[in-house]
PDB file of all heavy atoms in Angstrom:
ATOM      1  N   PRO A 114     106.975  84.053  98.560  1.00  0.00           N
ATOM      2  CA  PRO A 114     108.282  84.389  98.208  1.00  0.00           C
ATOM      3  C   PRO A 114     109.038  83.369  97.274  1.00  0.00           C
ATOM      4  O   PRO A 114     108.921  82.222  97.647  1.00  0.00           O
ATOM      5  CB  PRO A 114     108.995  84.702  99.520  1.00  0.00           C
ATOM      6  CG  PRO A 114     107.882  84.969 100.486  1.00  0.00           C
ATOM      7  CD  PRO A 114     106.778  84.123  99.943  1.00  0.00           C
ATOM      8  N   GLU A 115     109.728  83.855  96.300  1.00  0.00           N
ATOM      9  CA  GLU A 115     110.355  82.940  95.361  1.00  0.00           C
ATOM     10  C   GLU A 115     111.423  82.080  95.977  1.00  0.00           C
ATOM     11  O   GLU A 115     111.663  81.002  95.465  1.00  0.00           O
ATOM     12  CB  GLU A 115     110.997  83.724  94.184  1.00  0.00           C
ATOM     13  CG  GLU A 115     110.046  84.412  93.258  1.00  0.00           C
ATOM     14  CD  GLU A 115     109.170  83.427  92.514  1.00  0.00           C
ATOM     15  OE1 GLU A 115     109.684  82.372  92.144  1.00  0.00           O
ATOM     16  OE2 GLU A 115     107.957  83.639  92.374  1.00  0.00           O
ATOM     17  N   ASP A 116     112.024  82.514  97.100  1.00  0.00           N
ATOM     18  CA  ASP A 116     113.087  81.664  97.652  1.00  0.00           C
ATOM     19  C   ASP A 116     112.540  80.465  98.490  1.00  0.00           C
ATOM     20  O   ASP A 116     113.306  79.613  98.983  1.00  0.00           O
ATOM     21  CB  ASP A 116     113.994  82.497  98.537  1.00  0.00           C
ATOM     22  CG  ASP A 116     113.273  83.248  99.662  1.00  0.00           C
ATOM     23  OD1 ASP A 116     112.088  83.553  99.465  1.00  0.00           O
ATOM     24  OD2 ASP A 116     113.959  83.435 100.734  1.00  0.00           O
ATOM     25  N   ILE A 117     111.234  80.369  98.624  1.00  0.00           N
ATOM     26  CA  ILE A 117     110.587  79.276  99.233  1.00  0.00           C
ATOM     27  C   ILE A 117     110.237  78.337  98.103  1.00  0.00           C
ATOM     28  O   ILE A 117     109.360  78.626  97.322  1.00  0.00           O
ATOM     29  CB  ILE A 117     109.431  79.671 100.080  1.00  0.00           C
ATOM     30  CG1 ILE A 117     109.842  80.596 101.193  1.00  0.00           C
ATOM     31  CG2 ILE A 117     108.693  78.445 100.603  1.00  0.00           C
ATOM     32  CD1 ILE A 117     108.864  81.083 102.049  1.00  0.00           C
ATOM     33  N   VAL A 118     110.975  77.180  98.000  1.00  0.00           N
ATOM     34  CA  VAL A 118     110.834  76.264  96.914  1.00  0.00           C
ATOM     35  C   VAL A 118     109.594  75.364  97.056  1.00  0.00           C
ATOM     36  O   VAL A 118     109.526  74.656  98.182  1.00  0.00           O
ATOM     37  CB  VAL A 118     112.126  75.447  96.713  1.00  0.00           C
ATOM     38  CG1 VAL A 118     111.961  74.463  95.537  1.00  0.00           C
ATOM     39  CG2 VAL A 118     113.315  76.457  96.537  1.00  0.00           C
ATOM     40  N   LEU A 119     108.753  75.464  96.199  1.00  0.00           N
ATOM     41  CA  LEU A 119     107.532  74.543  96.183  1.00  0.00           C
ATOM     42  C   LEU A 119     107.401  73.999  94.787  1.00  0.00           C
ATOM     43  O   LEU A 119     107.951  74.516  93.817  1.00  0.00           O
ATOM     44  CB  LEU A 119     106.305  75.374  96.426  1.00  0.00           C
ATOM     45  CG  LEU A 119     106.104  76.010  97.848  1.00  0.00           C
ATOM     46  CD1 LEU A 119     104.990  76.997  97.829  1.00  0.00           C
ATOM     47  CD2 LEU A 119     106.026  74.984  98.919  1.00  0.00           C
ATOM     48  N   PRO A 120     106.771  72.917  94.664  1.00  0.00           N
ATOM     49  CA  PRO A 120     106.484  72.390  93.269  1.00  0.00           C
ATOM     50  C   PRO A 120     105.823  73.397  92.438  1.00  0.00           C
ATOM     51  O   PRO A 120     104.919  74.184  92.957  1.00  0.00           O
ATOM     52  CB  PRO A 120     105.528  71.178  93.456  1.00  0.00           C
ATOM     53  CG  PRO A 120     105.859  70.723  94.920  1.00  0.00           C
ATOM     54  CD  PRO A 120     106.152  72.002  95.663  1.00  0.00           C
ATOM     55  N   PRO A 121     106.178  73.639  91.205  1.00  0.00           N
ATOM     56  CA  PRO A 121     105.654  74.746  90.369  1.00  0.00           C
ATOM     57  C   PRO A 121     104.196  74.762  90.234  1.00  0.00           C
ATOM     58  O   PRO A 121     103.505  75.764  90.206  1.00  0.00           O
ATOM     59  CB  PRO A 121     106.339  74.501  89.021  1.00  0.00           C
ATOM     60  CG  PRO A 121     107.553  73.762  89.285  1.00  0.00           C
ATOM     61  CD  PRO A 121     107.263  72.861  90.451  1.00  0.00           C
ATOM     62  N   ALA A 122     103.617  73.573  90.250  1.00  0.00           N
ATOM     63  CA  ALA A 122     102.183  73.419  90.121  1.00  0.00           C
ATOM     64  C   ALA A 122     101.381  74.050  91.390  1.00  0.00           C
ATOM     65  O   ALA A 122     100.226  74.457  91.251  1.00  0.00           O
ATOM     66  CB  ALA A 122     101.702  71.998  89.938  1.00  0.00           C
ATOM     67  N   PHE A 123     102.025  74.144  92.496  1.00  0.00           N
ATOM     68  CA  PHE A 123     101.411  74.629  93.637  1.00  0.00           C
ATOM     69  C   PHE A 123     101.055  76.168  93.477  1.00  0.00           C
ATOM     70  O   PHE A 123      99.984  76.583  93.861  1.00  0.00           O
ATOM     71  CB  PHE A 123     102.347  74.488  94.924  1.00  0.00           C
ATOM     72  CG  PHE A 123     102.271  73.196  95.500  1.00  0.00           C
ATOM     73  CD1 PHE A 123     102.171  71.997  94.844  1.00  0.00           C
ATOM     74  CD2 PHE A 123     102.422  73.077  96.892  1.00  0.00           C
ATOM     75  CE1 PHE A 123     102.018  70.717  95.344  1.00  0.00           C
ATOM     76  CE2 PHE A 123     102.354  71.712  97.511  1.00  0.00           C
ATOM     77  CZ  PHE A 123     102.176  70.632  96.750  1.00  0.00           C
ATOM     78  N   ARG A 124     102.003  76.858  92.986  1.00  0.00           N
ATOM     79  CA  ARG A 124     101.712  78.391  92.764  1.00  0.00           C
ATOM     80  C   ARG A 124     100.633  78.657  91.843  1.00  0.00           C
ATOM     81  O   ARG A 124      99.830  79.594  92.009  1.00  0.00           O
ATOM     82  CB  ARG A 124     103.009  79.068  92.357  1.00  0.00           C
ATOM     83  CG  ARG A 124     104.015  79.050  93.434  1.00  0.00           C
ATOM     84  CD  ARG A 124     105.299  79.791  92.855  1.00  0.00           C
ATOM     85  NE  ARG A 124     106.513  79.482  93.550  1.00  0.00           N
ATOM     86  CZ  ARG A 124     106.863  80.159  94.729  1.00  0.00           C
ATOM     87  NH1 ARG A 124     106.150  81.137  95.086  1.00  0.00           N
ATOM     88  NH2 ARG A 124     107.964  79.818  95.291  1.00  0.00           N
ATOM     89  N   SER A 125     100.574  77.867  90.806  1.00  0.00           N
ATOM     90  CA  SER A 125      99.576  78.214  89.701  1.00  0.00           C
ATOM     91  C   SER A 125      98.190  77.435  89.925  1.00  0.00           C
ATOM     92  O   SER A 125      97.244  77.675  89.154  1.00  0.00           O
ATOM     93  CB  SER A 125     100.151  77.836  88.330  1.00  0.00           C
ATOM     94  OG  SER A 125     100.446  76.456  88.286  1.00  0.00           O
ATOM     95  N   ALA A 126      98.099  76.542  90.942  1.00  0.00           N
ATOM     96  CA  ALA A 126      96.919  75.870  91.228  1.00  0.00           C
ATOM     97  C   ALA A 126      95.783  76.813  91.563  1.00  0.00           C
ATOM     98  O   ALA A 126      95.975  77.887  92.072  1.00  0.00           O
ATOM     99  CB  ALA A 126      97.054  74.718  92.229  1.00  0.00           C
ATOM    100  N   GLU A 127      94.589  76.306  91.661  1.00  0.00           N
ATOM    101  CA  GLU A 127      93.410  77.007  92.148  1.00  0.00           C
ATOM    102  C   GLU A 127      93.688  77.095  93.707  1.00  0.00           C
ATOM    103  O   GLU A 127      94.062  76.110  94.329  1.00  0.00           O
ATOM    104  CB  GLU A 127      92.100  76.267  91.887  1.00  0.00           C
ATOM    105  CG  GLU A 127      91.527  76.547  90.574  1.00  0.00           C
ATOM    106  CD  GLU A 127      91.084  77.936  90.373  1.00  0.00           C
ATOM    107  OE1 GLU A 127      90.439  78.537  91.217  1.00  0.00           O
ATOM    108  OE2 GLU A 127      91.465  78.486  89.291  1.00  0.00           O
ATOM    109  N   PRO A 128      93.422  78.309  94.328  1.00  0.00           N
ATOM    110  CA  PRO A 128      93.533  78.356  95.744  1.00  0.00           C
ATOM    111  C   PRO A 128      92.629  77.360  96.455  1.00  0.00           C
ATOM    112  O   PRO A 128      91.603  77.056  95.998  1.00  0.00           O
ATOM    113  CB  PRO A 128      93.131  79.781  96.052  1.00  0.00           C
ATOM    114  CG  PRO A 128      93.210  80.549  94.732  1.00  0.00           C
ATOM    115  CD  PRO A 128      92.937  79.528  93.625  1.00  0.00           C
ATOM    116  N   LEU A 129      93.254  76.876  97.524  1.00  0.00           N
ATOM    117  CA  LEU A 129      92.506  75.836  98.370  1.00  0.00           C
ATOM    118  C   LEU A 129      91.892  76.566  99.518  1.00  0.00           C
ATOM    119  O   LEU A 129      92.544  77.199 100.331  1.00  0.00           O
ATOM    120  CB  LEU A 129      93.596  74.828  98.701  1.00  0.00           C
ATOM    121  CG  LEU A 129      92.965  73.702  99.685  1.00  0.00           C
ATOM    122  CD1 LEU A 129      91.932  72.817  98.951  1.00  0.00           C
ATOM    123  CD2 LEU A 129      94.148  72.828 100.148  1.00  0.00           C
ATOM    124  N   ASN A 130      90.560  76.509  99.632  1.00  0.00           N
ATOM    125  CA  ASN A 130      89.783  77.181 100.800  1.00  0.00           C
ATOM    126  C   ASN A 130      89.839  76.264 101.956  1.00  0.00           C
ATOM    127  O   ASN A 130      89.102  75.270 102.003  1.00  0.00           O
ATOM    128  CB  ASN A 130      88.386  77.485 100.295  1.00  0.00           C
ATOM    129  CG  ASN A 130      87.615  78.242 101.327  1.00  0.00           C
ATOM    130  OD1 ASN A 130      88.122  78.607 102.406  1.00  0.00           O
ATOM    131  ND2 ASN A 130      86.349  78.320 101.077  1.00  0.00           N
ATOM    132  N   LEU A 131      90.541  76.761 103.030  1.00  0.00           N
ATOM    133  CA  LEU A 131      90.545  75.989 104.271  1.00  0.00           C
ATOM    134  C   LEU A 131      89.199  76.060 105.027  1.00  0.00           C
ATOM    135  O   LEU A 131      88.967  75.324 105.910  1.00  0.00           O
ATOM    136  CB  LEU A 131      91.695  76.460 105.159  1.00  0.00           C
ATOM    137  CG  LEU A 131      93.111  76.395 104.546  1.00  0.00           C
ATOM    138  CD1 LEU A 131      94.133  76.890 105.565  1.00  0.00           C
ATOM    139  CD2 LEU A 131      93.419  74.922 104.221  1.00  0.00           C
ATOM    140  N   PHE A 132      88.364  76.997 104.607  1.00  0.00           N
ATOM    141  CA  PHE A 132      87.106  77.206 105.289  1.00  0.00           C
ATOM    142  C   PHE A 132      85.904  76.658 104.445  1.00  0.00           C
ATOM    143  O   PHE A 132      84.756  77.008 104.549  1.00  0.00           O
ATOM    144  CB  PHE A 132      86.791  78.664 105.596  1.00  0.00           C
ATOM    145  CG  PHE A 132      87.516  79.193 106.778  1.00  0.00           C
ATOM    146  CD1 PHE A 132      87.469  80.528 107.054  1.00  0.00           C
ATOM    147  CD2 PHE A 132      88.188  78.357 107.683  1.00  0.00           C
ATOM    148  CE1 PHE A 132      88.186  81.045 108.178  1.00  0.00           C
ATOM    149  CE2 PHE A 132      88.884  78.838 108.812  1.00  0.00           C
ATOM    150  CZ  PHE A 132      88.833  80.184 109.049  1.00  0.00           C
ATOM    151  N   GLN A 133      86.179  75.700 103.492  1.00  0.00           N
ATOM    152  CA  GLN A 133      85.251  75.099 102.574  1.00  0.00           C
ATOM    153  C   GLN A 133      84.048  74.543 103.433  1.00  0.00           C
ATOM    154  O   GLN A 133      82.899  74.530 103.004  1.00  0.00           O
ATOM    155  CB  GLN A 133      85.797  74.077 101.725  1.00  0.00           C
ATOM    156  CG  GLN A 133      84.871  73.539 100.689  1.00  0.00           C
ATOM    157  CD  GLN A 133      84.344  74.603  99.699  1.00  0.00           C
ATOM    158  OE1 GLN A 133      85.000  75.427  99.325  1.00  0.00           O
ATOM    159  NE2 GLN A 133      83.050  74.423  99.345  1.00  0.00           N
ATOM    160  N   CYS A 134      84.342  73.883 104.614  1.00  0.00           N
ATOM    161  CA  CYS A 134      83.315  73.326 105.399  1.00  0.00           C
ATOM    162  C   CYS A 134      82.253  74.343 105.870  1.00  0.00           C
ATOM    163  O   CYS A 134      81.138  73.990 106.043  1.00  0.00           O
ATOM    164  CB  CYS A 134      83.982  72.671 106.640  1.00  0.00           C
ATOM    165  SG  CYS A 134      84.836  73.754 107.754  1.00  0.00           S
ATOM    166  N   LEU A 135      82.680  75.619 106.000  1.00  0.00           N
ATOM    167  CA  LEU A 135      81.736  76.686 106.388  1.00  0.00           C
ATOM    168  C   LEU A 135      80.813  76.996 105.287  1.00  0.00           C
ATOM    169  O   LEU A 135      79.609  77.404 105.484  1.00  0.00           O
ATOM    170  CB  LEU A 135      82.501  77.968 106.854  1.00  0.00           C
ATOM    171  CG  LEU A 135      83.401  77.739 107.992  1.00  0.00           C
ATOM    172  CD1 LEU A 135      84.089  79.114 108.377  1.00  0.00           C
ATOM    173  CD2 LEU A 135      82.832  77.050 109.198  1.00  0.00           C
ATOM    174  N   VAL A 136      81.283  76.807 103.984  1.00  0.00           N
ATOM    175  CA  VAL A 136      80.401  77.099 102.836  1.00  0.00           C
ATOM    176  C   VAL A 136      79.377  75.957 102.730  1.00  0.00           C
ATOM    177  O   VAL A 136      78.143  76.270 102.490  1.00  0.00           O
ATOM    178  CB  VAL A 136      81.308  77.050 101.535  1.00  0.00           C
ATOM    179  CG1 VAL A 136      80.395  77.125 100.307  1.00  0.00           C
ATOM    180  CG2 VAL A 136      82.307  78.181 101.547  1.00  0.00           C
ATOM    181  N   GLN A 137      79.751  74.812 103.100  1.00  0.00           N
ATOM    182  CA  GLN A 137      78.816  73.650 102.935  1.00  0.00           C
ATOM    183  C   GLN A 137      77.932  73.438 104.113  1.00  0.00           C
ATOM    184  O   GLN A 137      76.884  72.795 104.020  1.00  0.00           O
ATOM    185  CB  GLN A 137      79.635  72.420 102.780  1.00  0.00           C
ATOM    186  CG  GLN A 137      80.512  72.453 101.490  1.00  0.00           C
ATOM    187  CD  GLN A 137      81.527  71.335 101.440  1.00  0.00           C
ATOM    188  OE1 GLN A 137      81.993  70.874 102.430  1.00  0.00           O
ATOM    189  NE2 GLN A 137      81.979  71.074 100.166  1.00  0.00           N
ATOM    190  N   ASP A 138      78.196  73.983 105.316  1.00  0.00           N
ATOM    191  CA  ASP A 138      77.475  73.758 106.504  1.00  0.00           C
ATOM    192  C   ASP A 138      77.172  75.035 107.267  1.00  0.00           C
ATOM    193  O   ASP A 138      77.992  75.565 108.012  1.00  0.00           O
ATOM    194  CB  ASP A 138      78.281  72.859 107.451  1.00  0.00           C
ATOM    195  CG  ASP A 138      77.482  72.416 108.679  1.00  0.00           C
ATOM    196  OD1 ASP A 138      76.370  72.887 108.948  1.00  0.00           O
ATOM    197  OD2 ASP A 138      77.998  71.580 109.472  1.00  0.00           O
ATOM    198  N   PRO A 139      75.938  75.598 107.015  1.00  0.00           N
ATOM    199  CA  PRO A 139      75.579  76.859 107.663  1.00  0.00           C
ATOM    200  C   PRO A 139      75.669  76.843 109.232  1.00  0.00           C
ATOM    201  O   PRO A 139      76.042  77.828 109.810  1.00  0.00           O
ATOM    202  CB  PRO A 139      74.127  77.104 107.159  1.00  0.00           C
ATOM    203  CG  PRO A 139      73.988  76.299 105.903  1.00  0.00           C
ATOM    204  CD  PRO A 139      74.919  75.161 106.106  1.00  0.00           C
ATOM    205  N   ALA A 140      75.370  75.708 109.790  1.00  0.00           N
ATOM    206  CA  ALA A 140      75.501  75.628 111.221  1.00  0.00           C
ATOM    207  C   ALA A 140      76.881  75.736 111.740  1.00  0.00           C
ATOM    208  O   ALA A 140      77.123  76.338 112.727  1.00  0.00           O
ATOM    209  CB  ALA A 140      74.837  74.296 111.721  1.00  0.00           C
ATOM    210  N   ALA A 141      77.842  75.183 110.975  1.00  0.00           N
ATOM    211  CA  ALA A 141      79.236  75.229 111.297  1.00  0.00           C
ATOM    212  C   ALA A 141      79.727  76.710 111.155  1.00  0.00           C
ATOM    213  O   ALA A 141      80.475  77.194 111.979  1.00  0.00           O
ATOM    214  CB  ALA A 141      80.068  74.283 110.366  1.00  0.00           C
ATOM    215  N   HIS A 142      79.130  77.363 110.178  1.00  0.00           N
ATOM    216  CA  HIS A 142      79.493  78.871 109.935  1.00  0.00           C
ATOM    217  C   HIS A 142      79.098  79.627 111.146  1.00  0.00           C
ATOM    218  O   HIS A 142      79.764  80.436 111.711  1.00  0.00           O
ATOM    219  CB  HIS A 142      78.937  79.246 108.653  1.00  0.00           C
ATOM    220  CG  HIS A 142      79.273  80.756 108.389  1.00  0.00           C
ATOM    221  ND1 HIS A 142      78.363  81.672 108.235  1.00  0.00           N
ATOM    222  CD2 HIS A 142      80.485  81.383 108.193  1.00  0.00           C
ATOM    223  CE1 HIS A 142      78.933  82.882 108.025  1.00  0.00           C
ATOM    224  NE2 HIS A 142      80.194  82.694 107.974  1.00  0.00           N
ATOM    225  N   THR A 143      77.823  79.392 111.532  1.00  0.00           N
ATOM    226  CA  THR A 143      77.297  80.088 112.707  1.00  0.00           C
ATOM    227  C   THR A 143      78.082  79.862 113.990  1.00  0.00           C
ATOM    228  O   THR A 143      78.447  80.811 114.722  1.00  0.00           O
ATOM    229  CB  THR A 143      75.841  79.752 112.917  1.00  0.00           C
ATOM    230  OG1 THR A 143      75.053  80.131 111.783  1.00  0.00           O
ATOM    231  CG2 THR A 143      75.214  80.486 114.123  1.00  0.00           C
TER     232      THR A 143
END
C-alpha cells in the first residue's frame, strides 16, 4: 500500500526470496 513509506528502490527491486535456502539445499527442502 502506498501509505506505507519505503525507500523507492525497495518497490522496484527484484523480489527477495526468503526460501532461497530451499532452492540451494534439497535436504532442507525435504
Side-chain angles (χ1 to χ4, degrees):
E115 290 296 322
D116 59 329
I117 298 179
V118 180
L119 295 169
F123 278 34
R124 292 180 198 273
S125 61
E127 278 295 312
L129 179 64
N130 182 8
L131 299 178
F132 284 171
Q133 185 62 37
C134 61
L135 303 181
V136 173
Q137 298 165 336
D138 184 354
H142 182 241
T143 300

